[in-house]
Amino acid sequence: MHKTKKRLLSGIKPTGDLHIGNYFGAMMQFLEFQKNYESFIFIADYHALNQVKDPKKIKKDSLEIVKAYLAAGLDPKKVHLFKQSDVPQVTELCWIFNCILPMALLKRAHAYKDAVAKGKSVNMGLFDYPVLMAADILIYNSDIVPVGKDQKQHVEMAQETAKRFNNIYGKTFKIPEIMVKQDVAVIKGLDGRKMSKSYNNVIGLFDSEEETKEKIMKIVTDSKRPEEPKNPENCNVFYFHKLFSPKSELEKIRKRYKEGGISYQESKEILAKNINKFLAKIRDKKKKLDKNENYIKKVLEEGKTAALREAQKTLNKAKKKVGVI
Protein backbone atom coordinates (compact mmCIF):
# COMPACT_ATOMS: atom_id res chain seq x y z
CA MET A 1 0.00 0.00 0.00
CA HIS A 2 1.16 3.50 -0.83
CA LYS A 3 2.68 5.14 2.24
CA THR A 4 1.41 8.64 1.45
CA LYS A 5 -2.24 7.63 1.65
CA LYS A 6 -4.19 8.79 4.67
CA ARG A 7 -5.48 6.04 6.93
CA LEU A 8 -9.21 5.45 7.22
CA LEU A 9 -10.86 3.41 9.99
CA SER A 10 -14.37 2.00 10.14
CA GLY A 11 -16.20 -0.80 11.93
CA ILE A 12 -19.24 -2.86 10.97
CA LYS A 13 -21.39 -4.60 13.57
CA PRO A 14 -22.37 -8.19 12.69
CA THR A 15 -26.03 -7.94 13.62
CA GLY A 16 -27.90 -9.62 10.77
CA ASP A 17 -28.28 -10.02 7.02
CA LEU A 18 -27.45 -7.06 4.81
CA HIS A 19 -29.99 -5.35 2.59
CA ILE A 20 -29.91 -2.81 -0.22
CA GLY A 21 -30.15 0.03 2.32
CA ASN A 22 -26.79 -1.13 3.71
CA TYR A 23 -25.40 -1.29 0.18
CA PHE A 24 -26.32 2.27 -0.82
CA GLY A 25 -25.86 3.70 2.69
CA ALA A 26 -22.40 2.28 3.47
CA MET A 27 -20.94 -0.39 1.20
CA MET A 28 -20.75 1.81 -1.90
CA GLN A 29 -18.82 4.44 0.06
CA PHE A 30 -16.21 1.91 1.19
CA LEU A 31 -15.68 0.85 -2.43
CA GLU A 32 -14.83 4.48 -3.20
CA PHE A 33 -12.74 4.99 -0.06
CA GLN A 34 -10.45 2.05 -0.88
CA LYS A 35 -9.22 3.91 -3.96
CA ASN A 36 -7.92 6.88 -1.99
CA TYR A 37 -7.20 5.70 1.56
CA GLU A 38 -5.34 2.97 3.36
CA SER A 39 -8.38 1.40 4.98
CA PHE A 40 -8.64 -0.56 8.21
CA ILE A 41 -12.16 -2.04 8.35
CA PHE A 42 -13.06 -4.30 11.25
CA ILE A 43 -15.99 -6.53 12.12
CA ALA A 44 -17.13 -5.10 15.45
CA ASP A 45 -18.01 -8.41 17.11
CA TYR A 46 -17.23 -7.17 20.64
CA HIS A 47 -19.54 -4.20 20.13
CA ALA A 48 -22.25 -6.58 18.89
CA LEU A 49 -22.23 -8.44 22.22
CA ASN A 50 -24.33 -5.61 23.66
CA GLN A 51 -27.18 -6.63 21.35
CA VAL A 52 -26.64 -10.28 20.45
CA LYS A 53 -26.31 -13.06 23.03
CA ASP A 54 -26.28 -15.95 20.55
CA PRO A 55 -22.66 -17.13 19.96
CA LYS A 56 -23.53 -19.04 16.78
CA LYS A 57 -25.21 -15.95 15.32
CA ILE A 58 -22.23 -13.70 16.17
CA LYS A 59 -19.85 -16.13 14.49
CA LYS A 60 -22.06 -16.67 11.43
CA ASP A 61 -22.95 -12.99 10.92
CA SER A 62 -19.29 -11.96 11.22
CA LEU A 63 -18.31 -14.25 8.34
CA GLU A 64 -21.38 -13.27 6.32
CA ILE A 65 -20.45 -9.58 6.51
CA VAL A 66 -16.90 -10.32 5.33
CA LYS A 67 -18.29 -12.29 2.39
CA ALA A 68 -20.82 -9.58 1.59
CA TYR A 69 -18.21 -6.82 1.46
CA LEU A 70 -15.87 -8.94 -0.66
CA ALA A 71 -18.75 -9.82 -2.99
CA ALA A 72 -19.61 -6.12 -3.34
CA GLY A 73 -16.04 -5.36 -4.44
CA LEU A 74 -13.92 -4.66 -1.37
CA ASP A 75 -10.33 -5.47 -2.36
CA PRO A 76 -8.27 -7.16 0.39
CA LYS A 77 -5.12 -5.92 -1.38
CA LYS A 78 -6.25 -2.36 -0.63
CA VAL A 79 -8.18 -2.90 2.61
CA HIS A 80 -7.19 -4.54 5.91
CA LEU A 81 -10.32 -6.51 6.84
CA PHE A 82 -10.28 -8.15 10.28
CA LYS A 83 -12.27 -9.02 13.39
CA GLN A 84 -12.18 -6.67 16.37
CA SER A 85 -11.81 -9.63 18.73
CA ASP A 86 -8.63 -10.74 16.96
CA VAL A 87 -6.82 -7.64 18.27
CA PRO A 88 -6.70 -7.95 22.09
CA GLN A 89 -4.56 -4.81 22.30
CA VAL A 90 -7.76 -2.81 21.72
CA THR A 91 -9.40 -3.99 24.94
CA GLU A 92 -6.14 -3.43 26.82
CA LEU A 93 -5.98 0.15 25.56
CA CYS A 94 -9.65 0.54 26.46
CA TRP A 95 -8.74 -0.12 30.14
CA ILE A 96 -5.99 2.49 30.05
CA PHE A 97 -8.51 4.99 28.66
CA ASN A 98 -11.06 3.99 31.33
CA CYS A 99 -8.60 5.19 33.94
CA ILE A 100 -8.47 8.75 32.59
CA LEU A 101 -12.07 9.37 31.48
CA PRO A 102 -14.72 10.73 33.85
CA MET A 103 -18.09 8.99 34.13
CA ALA A 104 -19.77 12.33 33.41
CA LEU A 105 -18.37 12.22 29.86
CA LEU A 106 -19.74 8.73 29.23
CA LYS A 107 -23.13 9.68 30.64
CA ARG A 108 -23.45 12.18 27.80
CA ALA A 109 -23.31 9.38 25.20
CA HIS A 110 -26.49 9.18 23.09
CA ALA A 111 -26.86 5.39 23.37
CA TYR A 112 -26.62 5.51 27.17
CA LYS A 113 -29.02 8.47 27.53
CA ASP A 114 -31.50 6.85 25.17
CA ALA A 115 -31.44 3.56 27.10
CA VAL A 116 -31.93 5.36 30.43
CA ALA A 117 -34.77 7.46 28.99
CA LYS A 118 -36.53 4.29 27.85
CA GLY A 119 -36.05 2.65 31.23
CA LYS A 120 -33.81 -0.08 29.84
CA SER A 121 -31.24 -1.94 31.91
CA VAL A 122 -27.77 -0.60 31.09
CA ASN A 123 -24.87 -3.03 31.22
CA MET A 124 -21.24 -1.93 31.49
CA GLY A 125 -20.66 -2.82 27.84
CA LEU A 126 -23.22 -0.25 26.72
CA PHE A 127 -21.95 2.36 29.20
CA ASP A 128 -18.32 1.81 28.16
CA TYR A 129 -19.11 1.50 24.46
CA PRO A 130 -17.61 4.92 23.56
CA VAL A 131 -14.31 4.06 25.28
CA LEU A 132 -13.90 0.80 23.39
CA MET A 133 -14.72 2.69 20.21
CA ALA A 134 -12.10 5.31 21.07
CA ALA A 135 -9.56 2.51 21.45
CA ASP A 136 -10.68 1.06 18.09
CA ILE A 137 -10.11 4.41 16.40
CA LEU A 138 -6.92 5.58 18.10
CA ILE A 139 -4.93 2.35 18.19
CA TYR A 140 -4.47 2.33 14.40
CA ASN A 141 -3.40 6.00 14.18
CA SER A 142 -6.45 6.74 12.08
CA ASP A 143 -6.50 9.97 10.09
CA ILE A 144 -10.15 9.81 9.06
CA VAL A 145 -13.27 8.13 10.43
CA PRO A 146 -16.33 8.22 8.15
CA VAL A 147 -19.64 8.20 10.05
CA GLY A 148 -23.28 9.09 9.64
CA LYS A 149 -24.58 12.18 11.42
CA ASP A 150 -26.01 10.07 14.27
CA GLN A 151 -22.57 8.53 15.00
CA LYS A 152 -20.57 11.74 15.01
CA GLN A 153 -20.52 11.88 18.83
CA HIS A 154 -18.55 8.61 19.00
CA VAL A 155 -15.64 10.09 17.07
CA GLU A 156 -15.85 13.31 19.08
CA MET A 157 -15.42 11.21 22.23
CA ALA A 158 -12.40 9.50 20.64
CA GLN A 159 -10.94 12.95 19.93
CA GLU A 160 -11.58 13.98 23.55
CA THR A 161 -9.93 10.76 24.78
CA ALA A 162 -6.81 11.40 22.68
CA LYS A 163 -6.57 14.99 23.92
CA ARG A 164 -6.94 13.97 27.58
CA PHE A 165 -4.25 11.29 27.27
CA ASN A 166 -1.91 13.66 25.43
CA ASN A 167 -2.43 16.37 28.06
CA ILE A 168 -1.62 14.00 30.92
CA TYR A 169 1.21 11.95 29.41
CA GLY A 170 2.51 13.97 26.46
CA LYS A 171 1.74 13.77 22.76
CA THR A 172 0.96 10.14 21.94
CA PHE A 173 -2.24 9.85 19.92
CA LYS A 174 -3.20 11.41 16.61
CA ILE A 175 -6.48 13.38 16.69
CA PRO A 176 -8.66 11.75 14.01
CA GLU A 177 -10.73 13.77 11.57
CA ILE A 178 -14.47 13.19 11.35
CA MET A 179 -15.84 12.60 7.86
CA VAL A 180 -19.62 13.03 8.00
CA LYS A 181 -21.23 11.35 5.00
CA GLN A 182 -23.58 14.20 4.11
CA ASP A 183 -24.59 12.87 0.70
CA VAL A 184 -25.76 9.44 1.80
CA ALA A 185 -29.52 9.29 1.47
CA VAL A 186 -31.71 7.24 3.77
CA ILE A 187 -33.00 4.40 1.61
CA LYS A 188 -36.74 3.85 1.77
CA GLY A 189 -38.19 0.45 2.48
CA LEU A 190 -40.98 -1.34 0.61
CA ASP A 191 -43.60 0.51 2.70
CA GLY A 192 -42.10 3.98 2.22
CA ARG A 193 -40.54 4.15 5.69
CA LYS A 194 -36.78 3.89 6.26
CA MET A 195 -35.54 0.47 5.15
CA SER A 196 -35.03 -1.52 8.33
CA LYS A 197 -35.19 -5.16 9.39
CA SER A 198 -37.24 -4.06 12.40
CA TYR A 199 -39.95 -2.80 10.00
CA ASN A 200 -39.75 -5.98 7.89
CA ASN A 201 -39.59 -3.81 4.76
CA VAL A 202 -36.20 -4.76 3.31
CA ILE A 203 -34.92 -6.21 0.07
CA GLY A 204 -32.08 -8.49 1.10
CA LEU A 205 -28.83 -8.13 -0.78
CA PHE A 206 -28.73 -11.90 -1.21
CA ASP A 207 -32.42 -12.69 -1.58
CA SER A 208 -33.16 -15.03 -4.48
CA GLU A 209 -34.60 -13.59 -7.70
CA GLU A 210 -37.97 -15.11 -6.78
CA GLU A 211 -37.92 -13.61 -3.28
CA THR A 212 -37.00 -10.20 -4.67
CA LYS A 213 -39.82 -10.26 -7.22
CA GLU A 214 -42.32 -11.44 -4.60
CA LYS A 215 -41.40 -8.50 -2.34
CA ILE A 216 -41.60 -5.98 -5.19
CA MET A 217 -45.05 -7.20 -6.21
CA LYS A 218 -46.32 -6.43 -2.67
CA ILE A 219 -45.36 -2.73 -2.78
CA VAL A 220 -48.52 -0.73 -2.01
CA THR A 221 -49.71 1.68 -4.72
CA ASP A 222 -52.82 3.73 -5.33
CA SER A 223 -55.73 2.33 -7.37
CA LYS A 224 -55.18 4.21 -10.65
CA ARG A 225 -55.86 2.23 -13.81
CA PRO A 226 -53.09 1.63 -16.42
CA GLU A 227 -54.40 4.30 -18.79
CA GLU A 228 -54.56 7.00 -16.10
CA PRO A 229 -51.64 9.48 -15.66
CA LYS A 230 -49.63 8.91 -12.47
CA ASN A 231 -47.17 10.99 -10.48
CA PRO A 232 -43.85 9.09 -10.52
CA GLU A 233 -42.45 11.12 -7.61
CA ASN A 234 -45.21 9.91 -5.26
CA CYS A 235 -44.83 6.26 -6.23
CA ASN A 236 -42.86 3.82 -4.07
CA VAL A 237 -42.27 1.60 -7.10
CA PHE A 238 -40.77 4.45 -9.13
CA TYR A 239 -38.55 5.37 -6.15
CA PHE A 240 -36.75 2.05 -6.64
CA HIS A 241 -36.65 2.53 -10.41
CA LYS A 242 -34.48 5.60 -9.73
CA LEU A 243 -32.00 3.39 -7.88
CA PHE A 244 -31.93 0.39 -10.18
CA SER A 245 -33.28 1.09 -13.66
CA PRO A 246 -30.89 2.27 -16.43
CA LYS A 247 -31.23 5.98 -17.24
CA SER A 248 -32.58 5.45 -20.74
CA GLU A 249 -35.28 3.08 -19.50
CA LEU A 250 -36.02 5.25 -16.46
CA GLU A 251 -36.99 8.23 -18.62
CA LYS A 252 -39.32 6.07 -20.74
CA ILE A 253 -41.02 4.76 -17.61
CA ARG A 254 -41.31 8.30 -16.21
CA LYS A 255 -42.94 9.44 -19.49
CA ARG A 256 -45.41 6.54 -19.43
CA TYR A 257 -46.30 7.35 -15.82
CA LYS A 258 -47.07 10.98 -16.64
CA GLU A 259 -48.94 10.29 -19.87
CA GLY A 260 -50.70 7.13 -18.74
CA GLY A 261 -50.23 3.75 -20.37
CA ILE A 262 -48.40 1.70 -17.75
CA SER A 263 -49.89 -0.43 -15.00
CA TYR A 264 -48.33 -0.75 -11.57
CA GLN A 265 -48.12 -4.47 -12.27
CA GLU A 266 -45.94 -3.87 -15.34
CA SER A 267 -43.86 -1.26 -13.51
CA LYS A 268 -43.18 -3.75 -10.72
CA GLU A 269 -42.23 -6.50 -13.17
CA ILE A 270 -39.73 -4.19 -14.92
CA LEU A 271 -38.35 -3.14 -11.52
CA ALA A 272 -37.91 -6.72 -10.31
CA LYS A 273 -36.02 -7.57 -13.50
CA ASN A 274 -33.71 -4.55 -13.12
CA ILE A 275 -33.00 -5.13 -9.41
CA ASN A 276 -32.10 -8.75 -10.04
CA LYS A 277 -29.88 -7.73 -12.94
CA PHE A 278 -28.15 -5.07 -10.82
CA LEU A 279 -27.46 -7.53 -7.97
CA ALA A 280 -26.61 -10.57 -10.12
CA LYS A 281 -22.79 -10.15 -9.99
CA ILE A 282 -22.73 -9.52 -6.24
CA ARG A 283 -24.97 -12.53 -5.60
CA ASP A 284 -22.94 -14.81 -7.87
CA LYS A 285 -19.68 -13.78 -6.21
CA LYS A 286 -21.21 -14.37 -2.77
CA LYS A 287 -22.20 -17.93 -3.79
CA LYS A 288 -18.60 -18.62 -4.82
CA LEU A 289 -17.31 -17.20 -1.53
CA ASP A 290 -19.76 -19.41 0.38
CA LYS A 291 -17.89 -22.40 -1.05
CA ASN A 292 -14.42 -21.02 -0.31
CA GLU A 293 -14.12 -20.69 3.45
CA ASN A 294 -10.33 -20.98 3.28
CA TYR A 295 -10.15 -17.79 1.24
CA ILE A 296 -12.26 -15.92 3.83
CA LYS A 297 -9.97 -17.16 6.60
CA LYS A 298 -6.93 -16.06 4.59
CA VAL A 299 -8.34 -12.55 4.08
CA LEU A 300 -9.12 -12.22 7.81
CA GLU A 301 -5.71 -13.60 8.79
CA GLU A 302 -3.89 -11.10 6.57
CA GLY A 303 -6.03 -8.26 7.92
CA LYS A 304 -5.39 -9.44 11.47
CA THR A 305 -1.61 -9.48 10.89
CA ALA A 306 -1.62 -5.88 9.65
CA ALA A 307 -3.94 -4.74 12.47
CA LEU A 308 -1.88 -6.47 15.18
CA ARG A 309 1.32 -4.88 13.89
CA GLU A 310 -0.11 -1.36 14.13
CA ALA A 311 -2.00 -1.98 17.37
CA GLN A 312 1.01 -3.38 19.24
CA LYS A 313 3.19 -0.41 18.29
CA THR A 314 0.58 2.06 19.55
CA LEU A 315 -0.17 0.10 22.72
CA ASN A 316 3.53 -0.18 23.61
CA LYS A 317 3.87 3.57 23.25
CA ALA A 318 0.87 4.17 25.52
CA LYS A 319 2.05 1.62 28.13
CA LYS A 320 5.46 3.27 28.30
CA LYS A 321 3.83 6.65 28.78
CA VAL A 322 1.67 5.43 31.70
CA GLY A 323 4.59 3.55 33.27
CA VAL A 324 3.59 -0.13 33.04
CA ILE A 325 6.49 -1.04 30.77
Side-chain angles (χ1 to χ4, degrees):
M1 296 188 185
H2 202 285
K3 287 182 180 177
T4 59
K5 283 186 176 180
K6 284 191 173 182
R7 183 169 293 171
L8 177 142
L9 185 283
S10 187
I12 309 150
K13 273 198 291 191
T15 52
D17 297 331
L18 296 174
H19 50 74
I20 62 170
N22 300 128
Y23 179 80
F24 287 102
M27 296 173 86
M28 278 179 62
Q29 282 72 41
F30 288 124
L31 301 185
E32 285 301 309
F33 292 151
Q34 70 181 355
K35 297 175 186 176
N36 303 312
Y37 299 99
E38 179 188 11
S39 298
F40 280 70
I41 297 179
F42 66 92
I43 311 304
D45 48 358
Y46 274 158
H47 285 303
L49 293 179
N50 276 313
Q51 296 166 263
V52 184
K53 308 303 180 189
D54 181 343
K56 289 180 180 177
K57 181 172 171 56
I58 288 276
K59 192 174 287 188
K60 177 181 176 291
D61 287 351
S62 294
L63 290 176
E64 287 299 304
I65 281 193
V66 173
K67 288 188 277 189
Y69 271 79
L70 292 173
L74 214 63
D75 185 351
K77 292 177 182 174
K78 297 177 180 176
V79 175
H80 302 302
L81 192 59
F82 58 98
K83 291 197 301 177
Q84 181 186 31
S85 58
D86 278 341
V87 189
Q89 291 86 345
V90 172
T91 49
E92 193 172 348
L93 182 61
C94 177
W95 178 256
I96 292 173
F97 288 160
N98 275 332
C99 296
I100 65 166
L101 293 172
M103 289 177 66
L105 176 68
L106 302 186
K107 284 180 178 178
R108 295 205 299 265
H110 297 321
Y112 170 76
K113 287 170 69 177
D114 185 58
V116 170
K118 291 177 179 175
K120 292 182 180 178
S121 174
V122 178
N123 61 33
M124 278 305 300
L126 176 62
F127 185 70
D128 210 37
Y129 188 100
V131 188
L132 182 57
M133 187 169 283
D136 286 320
I137 292 169
L138 300 175
I139 204 164
Y140 303 111
N141 285 305
S142 312
D143 293 296
I144 292 169
V145 184
V147 290
K149 290 178 185 177
D150 58 335
Q151 298 167 317
K152 186 181 174 187
Q153 188 194 46
H154 289 138
V155 191
E156 289 172 341
M157 285 187 153
Q159 292 173 328
E160 175 66 16
T161 303
K163 288 172 186 174
R164 281 175 181 265
F165 190 97
N166 292 348
N167 286 338
I168 297 168
Y169 296 107
K171 186 165 172 57
T172 309
F173 291 102
K174 184 184 290 184
I175 311 299
E177 178 186 336
I178 300 172
M179 179 194 285
V180 179
K181 298 178 284 188
Q182 302 278 11
D183 58 340
V184 178
V186 173
I187 303 301
K188 288 183 184 179
L190 296 168
D191 57 1
R193 292 183 292 175
K194 176 184 175 181
M195 187 170 285
S196 170
K197 283 170 288 198
S198 60
Y199 294 150
N200 195 27
N201 64 357
V202 306
I203 299 171
L205 206 55
F206 304 110
D207 285 347
S208 68
E209 291 190 5
E210 294 74 23
E211 286 171 328
T212 301
K213 184 172 182 179
E214 193 177 314
K215 287 180 178 180
I216 295 301
M217 300 311 285
K218 290 179 181 176
I219 296 177
V220 177
T221 60
D222 59 37
S223 56
K224 287 183 177 174
R225 298 187 301 275
E227 64 274 14
E228 289 185 85
K230 304 165 186 68
N231 183 351
E233 303 311 319
N234 290 342
C235 174
N236 285 334
V237 183
F238 193 80
Y239 168 82
F240 289 106
H241 275 298
K242 289 189 282 188
L243 292 174
F244 293 101
S245 295
K247 257 188 178 177
S248 56
E249 189 174 19
L250 180 66
E251 292 313 310
K252 289 175 185 175
I253 296 168
R254 190 194 301 273
K255 189 169 185 288
R256 291 180 67 193
Y257 261 76
K258 288 182 175 179
E259 294 177 356
I262 187 170
S263 67
Y264 289 120
Q265 171 87 10
E266 183 186 355
S267 181
K268 289 175 181 180
E269 286 174 352
I270 295 170
L271 174 62
K273 177 198 73 176
N274 288 337
I275 288 180
N276 282 323
K277 187 176 180 181
F278 181 93
L279 295 175
K281 284 184 181 178
I282 298 174
R283 288 169 172 174
D284 287 345
K285 192 169 179 183
K286 169 68 162 49
K287 285 176 185 175
K288 290 174 183 173
L289 290 167
D290 285 337
K291 298 173 185 176
N292 196 349
E293 195 171 310
N294 286 336
Y295 176 69
I296 305 302
K297 287 180 178 176
K298 179 174 176 284
V299 168
L300 285 172
E301 192 61 36
E302 289 175 353
K304 171 184 171 182
T305 300
L308 284 171
R309 185 172 56 243
E310 292 299 320
Q312 192 61 61
K313 282 192 294 188
T314 306
L315 180 63
N316 285 347
K317 195 187 298 181
K319 288 173 78 172
K320 283 176 185 174
K321 288 290 179 77
V322 301
V324 294
I325 59 172

